[in-house]
Amino acid sequence: MYQWRKFEFFEEKAAGRGVPAEIAARVSCCSGGRGRVAVGCDDGTVGLLDRGFRLSYGFQAYASSVLFLQQLKQRNVLITVGDDDQPSSQSSAICLKVFDLDKVQEEGSSTTSPFCVQILRIFTKQFPQAKITSFVVLEEAPPILLIAIGLDNGSIYCIKGDIARERITRFMLQIEAASDGTSSPITGLGFRVEGQAHQLFAVTPSSVTLFSLHDHPPRRQTLDQIGCETNAVAMSDRMDLIIGRPEAVYFYEVDGRGPCWAFDGEKKFVSWFRGYLLCIIEDQRSRRNTLNVYDLKNRLIAHSMPVGDVSHLVSEWGYIILIMSDKKILCIGEKDMESKLDMLFKKNLYTVAINLVQSQQADPASTAEVLRKYGDHLYGKQEYDEAMSQYIHTIGHLEPSYVIQKFLDAKRIYNLTNYLEKLHDRGLASKDHTTLLLNCYTKLKDVEKLNHFIKDEDGVGEIKFDVETAIRVCRAAGYHEHAMFVAKKAGRHELYLKILLEDLGRYDEALQYISSLEANQAGLTVKEYGKILVEHRPAETVEILLRLCTDSGDPMTRRGSNSMHLLMIPSPMDFVNIFVHSPKYLMEFLENYTKAVKDSPAQTEIHNTLLELYISKDLSFPSMSQENGFEEHNIKERKGKEVANGYKSGRREKGNLGKEDMNIAKDIVDRQRKGLALLKSAWTSEMEDPLYDVDLALIICNANAFKDGLLFLYEKLKLYKEVISCYKQAHDHEGLIACCKKLGDSSQGGDPSLWGDLLKYFSELGEDCSKEVKEVLTYIEKEDVLPPIVVLETLSKNPCLTLSVVKDYIARKLEQESKLIEEDRRSIDKYQDETELMKREIEDLKTNAKVFQLSKCTACTFTLDLPAVHFMCMHSFHLRCLGDNEKECPECAPEYRSVMEAKQKLEHNARDHDLFFRQLRGSKDGFSVIADYFSKGIVSKTAIPPENGR
């Protein structure tokens, strides 16, 4: 035990202090607590000392002497035991008093005294008087106290309850008598509390006994047959009993003796202070006392100093306070942690420093700083393995770059690898740390550790590193399988496929992996890597896309749960860009999709794309030669050999080129045939709008000179003149006439004016087209499209046409016009006669009397008698037969009203300009419409608003 290191972790505080002069008597007992030290004297006074060891106040507690006192921790209460020196026949002079230090009562002008709450006689008839040798108080839930009083006869008097109100119970404990029947005095007591269980240690010079107070009656257990003298008993912070004997210091737990520390010398005082064991030991030879402060956990002497004759040992304010027999006071305080560590660092005692900070539960940052300094010390001594073990303990507090910088040397790569592994285990590694660790593994070629780090042994658990960094480093080092494992475990499907496709070229495995993914993940990966897949595995890629877009795959992988009907199915148009170099397979993909899905939301865009693929002439097929394996590669290799041998078969090449051109031309025809079929099927006569963009279709057809498509679109859009223009550009006269027959038939909703355009075309042709003109004139005459004079003016522009072409047409038109003129003359004569007749009748009504000769009523056919009413229309009625309406003839009124309604309608129509112009545009002869309006008096009666308000 003498080999323990000695340190000066404590220092003397408040040197030269002593017990205040106001306390003249001998100090018989003392107690610390609640920021003051209470001292009891043999003259019965009690003094309370402050932090400067000045007397706060004192009071007379007993008439004779104070034997024991203790300040409570939870309440500002002082418990004392003393001799009032007033014995009587009924009671003892020894009593217990309870003082409330918060209630101070004035006793005079110069002294104060706390309020005495209760005075309790200790000895009664049931509890005979004996000398008190020890005293201890346990605070339970306030105001309950448990007081144990040890006597010189081996008995222990216990008082429990609310002493202030004297609601107490008393009981007595007795230690086991010695073998010779004598009783030993109680030299020390100590309470141990475990939950609701209370236990009491009792020490005599020859035994250690434990009483279990929660048992009824209390159970006694002798723990040891050795004991100690007074003042050599204490309780540790773990509630273990400590006793000091000349040969050693013993610790006791509830089941017996515990650790034993062989500190030689007679123990005058034993105490426990903040984890330290305090012993005042008398040297057997010199008889001098020494105060030793032991750190049992770190096995060192924290402080050692000679002291005089100590009468009392107490602790308060974080100090160890020794009261000497001569009333001097020695105050010792612990140095701060920084000072202690500096002392140890100067001596290179880093292990002691580490144990010290750990035992005193210093904050982790302080502990890490000590470990760092120890690691630096070991590193300076080139003890790299031991240094790294210290640096590893600093993880989480010390910046990793500090350690990494020291071990970047290739010779220390094993230590660096160990540190980085621990850094990842704690989850504190950054991307750079992961990169560095993986580089260490690859440089060491330690596949086993790489497997353990990447695959985590059993392949389960959270990933403790940055995924992208690990994959990047493994790929760069050629550990593709490890990179794939990380990507798959982390669910980074795009990185997994990137390795398969770009590094390994395992296209079939990549396709199989995509097929195993959920629909949304599969769609994302195909969008990213579809170009590579289409380039190398086009047919299989198209098949996967069809499954994705038609939801025809495994239902377990396409549905998230039973509660969801369908996941969002991707649109085929999302994948068009991956076919940028393979339009043939794009066409195949879209064709198969349209066959499988009839009502796709993207139908219009799909048809637009298909039309562009079908109609374009410059469509390339980069993967045609891949259909039969490596045919293209073989052809190139064969051509290279021919050139190397010094000849080249021009005829063979010419033949191959001609065959290739024929194949391309045939393919263009086939595709355009599909395009025309799509144009027609996506815009049938039942559809109001097409299932494609008409403008885009027109642009595509026009850019690729696709005549059939243009004709169909122009016809559907009723752009008949554009249709005619197509035939004109092709000089297809038969097609022109056939087109006009189809599109110029007014009975079928056609436009007869097309015949006029056709006639104008032939007149400007500048060649003999008599046959076509005659056929055109037949339809112009039939539809009455143009007046003869216009026909003659138009055809006169073509010098190649003779009169014989229009001779028959003009003759028929002249005869027809003559007949019409004759019919018009007859109608004129008829209308003039009728008009003249009406004028004479009006004149007769104005100038001559009208004779009514009817003898019967027109309504009832009875003989007409008075009163009667005669109308100018020659109808006569009884007045009674007319009823209330006697102003108009009942017989002629309906006809008159119909005429008036027609007149009102005509006047209304005169104001409806839209109706007039619609009739004008819809009529073959606009002049007849205007003449009809004039004939009905509609136009002539239209009111003209006055100008300038006139």
Side-chain angles (χ1 to χ4, degrees):
M1 200 57 61
Y2 291 105
Q3 297 177 358
W4 281 21
R5 294 177 180 270
K6 290 186 178 182
F7 299 95
E8 296 300 322
F9 289 164
F10 287 77
E11 59 185 353
E12 186 176 351
K13 304 284 185 180
R17 298 295 179 91
V19 176
E22 294 87 343
I23 302 176
R26 184 182 65 85
V27 177
S28 58
C29 57
C30 67
S31 171
R34 301 184 68 86
R36 286 182 294 194
V37 173
V39 294
C41 302
D42 57 1
D43 62 352
T45 60
V46 174
L48 296 173
L49 309 182
D50 61 11
R51 192 183 185 94
F53 299 104
R54 295 181 293 271
L55 181 65
S56 295
Y57 63 88
F59 61 93
Q60 190 72 37
Y62 294 91
S64 180
S65 63
V66 181
L67 302 178
F68 299 92
L69 59 78
Q70 183 171 337
Q71 293 189 79
L72 303 185
K73 302 293 184 182
Q74 300 181 29
R75 293 183 293 162
N76 196 16
V77 172
L78 180 67
I79 309 294
T80 61
V81 174
D83 187 359
D84 257 344
D85 200 18
Q86 296 175 354
S88 64
S89 58
Q90 287 83 14
S91 62
S92 171
I94 306 298
C95 64
L96 183 145
K97 293 185 180 181
V98 180
F99 294 95
D100 188 348
L101 301 182
D102 288 332
K103 298 178 181 180
V104 179
Q105 57 186 0
E106 297 289 340
E107 289 186 350
S109 59
S110 59
T111 60
T112 57
S113 175
F115 180 71
C116 182
V117 178
Q118 185 61 261
I119 299 176
L120 191 66
R121 297 295 178 181
I122 295 176
F123 301 111
T124 62
K125 292 182 179 180
Q126 292 81 11
F127 300 92
Q129 183 172 352
K131 183 181 179 182
I132 300 176
T133 55
S134 59
F135 172 78
V136 67
V137 180
L138 173 66
E139 294 182 78
E140 295 189 26
I144 305 302
L145 299 177
L146 178 56
I147 299 175
I149 301 171
L151 307 178
D152 62 349
N153 59 6
S155 298
I156 303 171
Y157 291 170
C158 295
I159 304 171
K160 182 177 181 180
D162 184 358
I163 298 178
R165 300 182 180 180
E166 206 168 348
R167 296 176 181 175
I168 58 174
T169 58
R170 296 172 182 253
F171 58 93
M172 183 174 64
L173 305 174
Q174 184 68 47
I175 63 170
E176 186 176 359
S179 58
D180 58 358
T182 60
S183 298
S184 300
I186 304 297
T187 56
L189 295 171
F191 283 108
R192 180 186 180 98
V193 179
E194 292 182 355
Q196 299 297 322
H198 294 167
Q199 295 167 315
L200 177 64
F201 288 103
V203 181
T204 68
S206 60
S207 68
V208 177
T209 305
L210 177 68
F211 294 94
S212 298
L213 303 182
H214 52 278
D215 293 334
H216 298 285
R219 180 170 55 88
R220 184 180 63 188
Q221 177 185 0
T222 301
L223 300 181
D224 206 345
Q225 294 297 330
I226 60 173
C228 67
E229 299 298 329
T230 306
N231 295 328
V233 179
M235 296 294 293
S236 72
D237 50 11
R238 296 179 57 187
M239 295 191 177
D240 293 337
L241 177 69
I242 307 171
I243 66 172
R245 291 180 56 80
E247 71 277 8
V249 175
Y250 298 91
F251 282 70
Y252 289 89
E253 299 177 359
V254 293
D255 53 354
R257 184 191 295 180
C260 171
W261 304 93
F263 302 140
D264 194 19
E266 184 180 354
K267 312 302 183 296
K268 293 291 185 179
F269 285 91
V270 172
S271 184
W272 189 262
F273 173 77
R274 292 187 175 182
Y276 294 102
L277 174 65
L278 308 181
C279 292
I280 296 178
I281 303 175
E282 183 184 53
D283 187 83
Q284 295 178 356
R285 288 174 295 181
S286 63
R287 295 298 175 180
R288 292 183 178 179
N289 296 332
T290 304
L291 169 65
N292 288 337
V293 181
Y294 297 100
D295 185 347
L296 302 180
K297 189 172 185 179
N298 297 315
R299 294 178 180 271
L300 57 85
I301 299 175
H303 186 68
S304 180
M305 64 178 296
V307 294
D309 187 9
V310 179
S311 62
H312 300 283
L313 173 62
V314 69
S315 63
E316 185 61 32
W317 309 300
Y319 297 152
I320 302 169
I321 301 171
L322 304 179
I323 300 178
M324 307 299 178
S325 298
D326 57 2
K327 291 189 178 182
K328 291 183 179 180
I329 296 178
L330 179 62
C331 183
I332 302 171
E334 187 177 7
K335 295 180 180 179
D336 59 86
M337 180 62 71
E338 185 176 356
S339 300
K340 292 188 287 185
L341 292 178
D342 288 342
M343 185 187 308
L344 295 173
F345 292 153
K346 290 177 182 178
K347 298 179 181 181
N348 292 330
L349 299 175
Y350 293 97
T351 305
V352 178
I354 292 170
N355 294 333
L356 182 65
V357 295
Q358 291 177 346
S359 64
Q360 297 197 1
Q361 298 179 349
D363 61 279
S366 300
T367 305
E369 180 63 19
V370 175
L371 292 169
R372 181 194 65 79
K373 289 185 177 181
Y374 187 30
D376 292 346
H377 174 70
L378 295 172
Y379 185 87
K381 294 169 64 178
Q382 297 185 350
E383 297 178 7
Y384 300 113
D385 294 338
E386 292 80 1
M388 180 53 72
S389 64
Q390 302 304 320
Y391 287 135
I392 288 173
H393 291 302
T394 67
I395 291 176
H397 303 283
L398 180 63
E399 178 62 36
S401 59
Y402 178 86
V403 180
I404 294 171
Q405 191 67 32
K406 290 177 175 289
F407 289 86
L408 279 179
D409 185 8
K411 296 179 181 179
R412 307 270 65 85
I413 192 171
Y414 292 99
N415 300 120
L416 180 59
T417 303
N418 186 23
Y419 180 79
L420 292 171
E421 286 174 347
K422 300 298 183 182
L423 203 62
H424 281 81
D425 290 341
R426 305 275 183 88
L428 300 174
S430 66
K431 296 180 181 180
D432 294 333
H433 298 148
T434 302
T435 302
L436 189 57
L437 178 59
L438 292 174
N439 284 329
C440 290
Y441 286 148
T442 55
K443 286 184 179 180
L444 293 172
K445 300 189 184 301
D446 194 340
V447 180
E448 182 179 352
K449 280 195 172 184
L450 183 61
N451 288 336
H452 177 76
F453 179 76
I454 293 294
K455 300 182 179 180
D456 199 18
E457 294 184 348
D458 54 358
V460 297
E462 294 184 359
I463 297 178
K464 301 176 181 178
F465 49 82
D466 184 73
V467 173
E468 293 187 5
T469 302
I471 293 173
R472 174 173 52 80
V473 175
C474 289
R475 287 182 67 193
Y479 291 91
H480 298 108
E481 295 296 333
H482 294 80
M484 289 167 57
F485 178 87
V486 174
K488 190 171 184 180
K489 183 177 180 182
R492 301 296 297 272
H493 310 299
E494 72 282 1
L495 296 178
Y496 185 87
L497 290 170
K498 189 172 187 177
I499 300 167
L500 279 178
L501 296 173
E502 296 181 1
D503 297 341
L504 303 177
R506 286 148 58 173
Y507 307 109
D508 295 328
E509 186 177 344
L511 289 168
Q512 185 178 1
Y513 183 77
I514 292 174
S515 301
S516 67
L517 298 177
E518 293 184 357
N520 57 342
Q521 289 291 340
L524 293 174
T525 53
V526 172
K527 286 179 186 178
E528 188 166 356
Y529 300 104
K531 291 181 182 178
I532 301 176
L533 293 171
V534 170
E535 181 181 354
H536 295 88
R537 296 293 186 273
E540 293 83 352
T541 306
V542 169
E543 183 181 352
I544 286 179
L545 286 176
L546 284 173
R547 288 203 302 269
L548 280 175
C549 297
T550 59
D551 195 38
S552 59
D554 184 4
M556 294 304 294
T557 62
R558 297 290 177 248
R559 286 158 176 81
S561 63
N562 294 332
S563 62
M564 299 176 62
H565 176 61
L566 281 176
L567 291 172
M568 293 297 293
I569 302 175
S571 169
M573 299 309 296
D574 296 339
F575 307 101
V576 169
N577 63 324
I578 71 174
F579 294 96
V580 65
H581 299 302
S582 304
K584 175 183 176 182
Y585 290 100
L586 174 59
M587 186 169 21
E588 178 185 341
F589 167 51
L590 295 178
E591 285 175 347
N592 292 331
Y593 178 81
T594 54
K595 291 176 183 177
V597 181
K598 301 298 182 183
D599 54 351
S600 172
Q603 197 169 31
T604 300
E605 291 84 355
I606 294 171
H607 287 165
N608 290 340
T609 306
L610 280 174
L611 285 174
E612 189 171 358
L613 292 170
Y614 286 151
I615 299 172
S616 297
K617 289 183 178 180
D618 58 349
L619 186 66
S620 59
F621 296 94
S623 53
M624 282 179 64
S625 59
Q626 298 178 10
E627 293 179 355
N628 297 320
F630 300 96
E631 181 180 349
E632 182 180 356
H633 175 73
N634 295 334
I635 290 173
K636 290 182 179 179
E637 186 177 356
R638 199 161 51 243
K639 287 182 179 180
K641 289 181 179 178
E642 289 177 353
V643 174
N645 292 332
Y647 73 92
K648 186 173 182 182
S649 178
R651 183 178 301 172
R652 183 184 303 172
E653 182 183 358
K654 202 170 190 179
N656 290 339
L657 289 174
K659 186 177 180 181
E660 184 178 349
D661 290 341
M662 289 176 60
N663 290 336
I664 292 176
K666 180 179 179 297
D667 188 80
I668 291 174
V669 172
D670 291 340
R671 286 189 288 107
Q672 290 188 345
R673 186 176 65 252
K674 291 181 180 179
L676 182 60
L678 178 59
L679 286 172
K680 293 180 178 180
S681 63
W683 196 1
T684 61
S685 57
E686 293 82 7
M687 297 180 182
E688 183 178 353
D689 296 317
L691 298 177
Y692 50 81
D693 189 337
V694 178
D695 295 334
L696 178 62
L698 283 170
I699 293 172
I700 295 171
C701 292
N702 195 24
N704 293 278
F706 184 39
K707 177 183 173 183
D708 294 339
L710 284 172
L711 292 175
F712 172 76
L713 292 172
Y714 287 151
E715 183 178 341
K716 293 294 289 185
L717 293 170
K718 299 187 183 299
L719 300 174
Y720 300 139
K721 295 186 183 299
E722 300 295 336
V723 177
I724 297 299
S725 297
C726 289
Y727 285 104
K728 288 178 182 179
Q729 292 174 3
H731 296 282
D732 185 0
H733 296 170
E734 292 183 2
L736 268 172
I737 295 173
C739 179
C740 285
K741 288 179 181 179
K742 179 181 179 183
L743 304 179
D745 188 356
S746 59
S747 63
Q748 301 296 328
D751 184 7
S753 64
L754 295 177
W755 291 107
D757 295 337
L758 186 55
L759 186 66
K760 183 179 180 182
Y761 166 73
F762 284 128
S763 69
E764 297 174 351
L765 195 58
E767 62 184 41
D768 187 9
C769 50
S770 302
K771 180 182 176 182
E772 290 84 355
V773 171
K774 287 180 180 180
E775 189 172 358
V776 172
L777 288 176
T778 302
Y779 285 96
I780 288 177
E781 181 182 0
K782 178 183 177 182
E783 297 289 340
D784 196 16
V785 178
L786 295 174
I789 188 66
V790 176
V791 173
L792 290 175
E793 288 178 357
T794 302
L795 294 177
S796 65
K797 297 177 183 179
N798 191 340
C800 299
L801 296 177
T802 61
L803 187 60
S804 60
V805 176
V806 297
K807 179 181 177 182
D808 294 337
Y809 167 73
I810 293 299
R812 288 192 301 271
K813 292 299 290 185
L814 288 176
E815 183 181 358
Q816 183 181 356
E817 292 292 335
S818 298
K819 289 180 180 180
L820 290 175
I821 291 171
E822 186 62 30
E823 289 179 1
D824 290 341
R825 284 177 179 174
R826 285 196 297 268
S827 298
I828 290 170
D829 292 341
K830 177 185 176 184
Y831 291 146
Q832 285 179 347
D833 292 342
E834 290 179 355
T835 302
E836 188 63 31
L837 180 62
M838 288 181 183
K839 287 180 179 180
R840 285 197 301 269
E841 186 177 352
I842 292 170
E843 184 64 27
D844 183 53
L845 289 174
K846 288 181 178 181
T847 57
N848 298 323
K850 198 71 171 177
V851 179
F852 299 96
Q853 296 179 350
L854 287 179
S855 60
K856 292 185 179 181
C857 177
T858 304
C860 63
T861 68
F862 290 107
T863 302
L864 192 64
D865 56 4
L866 296 175
V869 179
H870 304 279
F871 292 96
M872 297 300 290
C873 60
M874 304 308 294
H875 291 146
S876 300
F877 299 91
H878 292 116
L879 181 60
R880 62 179 179 273
C881 291
L882 290 175
D884 296 335
N885 189 6
E886 55 182 49
K887 292 184 179 182
E888 61 180 9
C889 174
E891 291 292 327
C892 300
E895 183 180 356
Y896 175 75
R897 278 197 294 268
S898 63
V899 172
M900 294 304 294
E901 288 175 359
K903 182 180 178 182
Q904 292 174 359
K905 184 177 181 182
L906 289 174
E907 291 175 353
H908 176 71
N909 290 342
R911 295 187 293 270
D912 190 352
H913 305 298
D914 293 336
L915 176 63
F916 170 73
F917 287 110
R918 280 200 301 271
Q919 292 178 358
L920 193 63
R921 285 192 296 267
S923 175
K924 296 179 182 179
D925 186 5
F927 181 77
S928 62
V929 175
I930 297 174
D932 183 58
Y933 266 70
F934 273 101
S935 67
K936 295 176 181 179
I938 297 175
V939 176
S940 61
K941 289 185 178 182
T942 302
I944 299 176
E947 296 182 3
N948 299 329
R950 293 180 293 175

